[in-house]
Amino acid sequence: MNYAIPVPAAPAIPVAGSDTLFPVRRIFCIGRNYADHAKEMGAAVDRQQPMFFMKPADAIVAGEEVEVRYPSATQDLHHEVEMVVALAKGGADIPRERALDHVFGYGVGLDLTRRDLQAAAKAKSHPWDAAKGFDQSAPVSAIHPASVVGHPKDLRLSLHVNDALRQETRLDDMIFPVDAIIHELSKLWTLAPGDLIYSGTPAGVAALVRGDRFIARLGDIAVLQGRIF
Ligand code: MN
């Protein structure tokens, strides 16, 4: 095939315990998946209908130790620590009871948010893309295969910034657990190998500034360390 310009490199994430990479196709995110976070944002808790948005695949910054540039056009960059789910298999209308069979593995990441732009978008009923889908808005740890670590049940998810605990929850507090998210997403999109899912954040979202160091942890499975510069 002759391409008119060089084919862009495929975004990819290291797979823990191996020399392979997980290629990223799309990044789906669920909003308001922990009641305490919905409450702190002044949003209603909807247990019937999940709310999804997306980031571009090349928003990932992947590794155990990452450097994230403070984004342009915001005065209020927020962290949202989230478990990240990587899919090995796709499909449409995936039954909830078979949903976990589609998972390749798990990591921990930050759904970085230009909170000021998000608030402005909400006020005007505009889309969230500039608030959520900017460059380097999706730092993520290595992916740990479910074949090694299993499917996380009631793990602790936490974020420290400059050694202070900012966010902490148990995965049990998710309104839509992973199998339900996959089921619901697959009603809206035909899911595919390489798709990533950011599974929502608990309360405690707050600002990051240049020089901050962060450590996100998913139980004893995954860790993501980094710095804002
Ligand atoms: Mn989020």
Side-chain angles (χ1 to χ4, degrees), residues 30 53 80 82 111 132 200-201:
I30 182 169
F53 60 92
E80 297 189 358
E82 311 202 359
D111 164 14
K132 289 288 197 179
T201 200

Side-chain angles (χ1 to χ4, degrees), residues 8-141:
I13 305 173
V15 174
S18 102
D19 60 359
T20 61
L21 296 173
F22 180 87
V24 179
R25 184 166 187 268
R26 293 174 292 190
I27 304 175
F28 296 100
C29 307
I30 182 169
R32 301 167 188 164
N33 201 27
Y34 290 84
D36 59 353
H37 172 63
K39 192 175 171 190
E40 75 179 348
M41 298 303 295
V45 175
D46 188 339
R47 294 179 183 277
Q48 307 305 317
Q49 186 60 53
M51 186 272 282
F52 297 116
F53 60 92
M54 298 179 76
K55 294 174 185 268
D58 64 0
I60 61 164
V61 191
E64 304 295 351
E65 178 84 43
V66 298
E67 300 268 310
V68 178
R69 183 181 299 280
Y70 195 94
S72 62
T74 184
Q75 312 300 323
D76 197 19
L77 175 68
H78 270 208
H79 54 73
E80 297 189 358
V81 67
E82 311 202 359
M83 178 169 72
V84 178
V85 184
L87 298 188
K89 291 196 291 180
D93 299 319
I94 298 168
R96 187 168 171 181
E97 56 273 19
R98 291 216 303 272
L100 293 185
D101 297 341
H102 294 68
V103 174
F104 174 79
Y106 298 89
V108 63
L110 296 182
D111 164 14
L112 293 178
T113 302
R114 286 168 167 148
R115 194 69 75 198
D116 43 2
L117 269 60
Q118 186 191 36
K122 285 179 179 175
K124 295 179 183 172
S125 298
H126 282 178
W128 286 10
D129 300 60
K132 289 288 197 179
F134 52 90
D135 298 344
Q136 299 198 319
S137 59
V140 62
S141 72

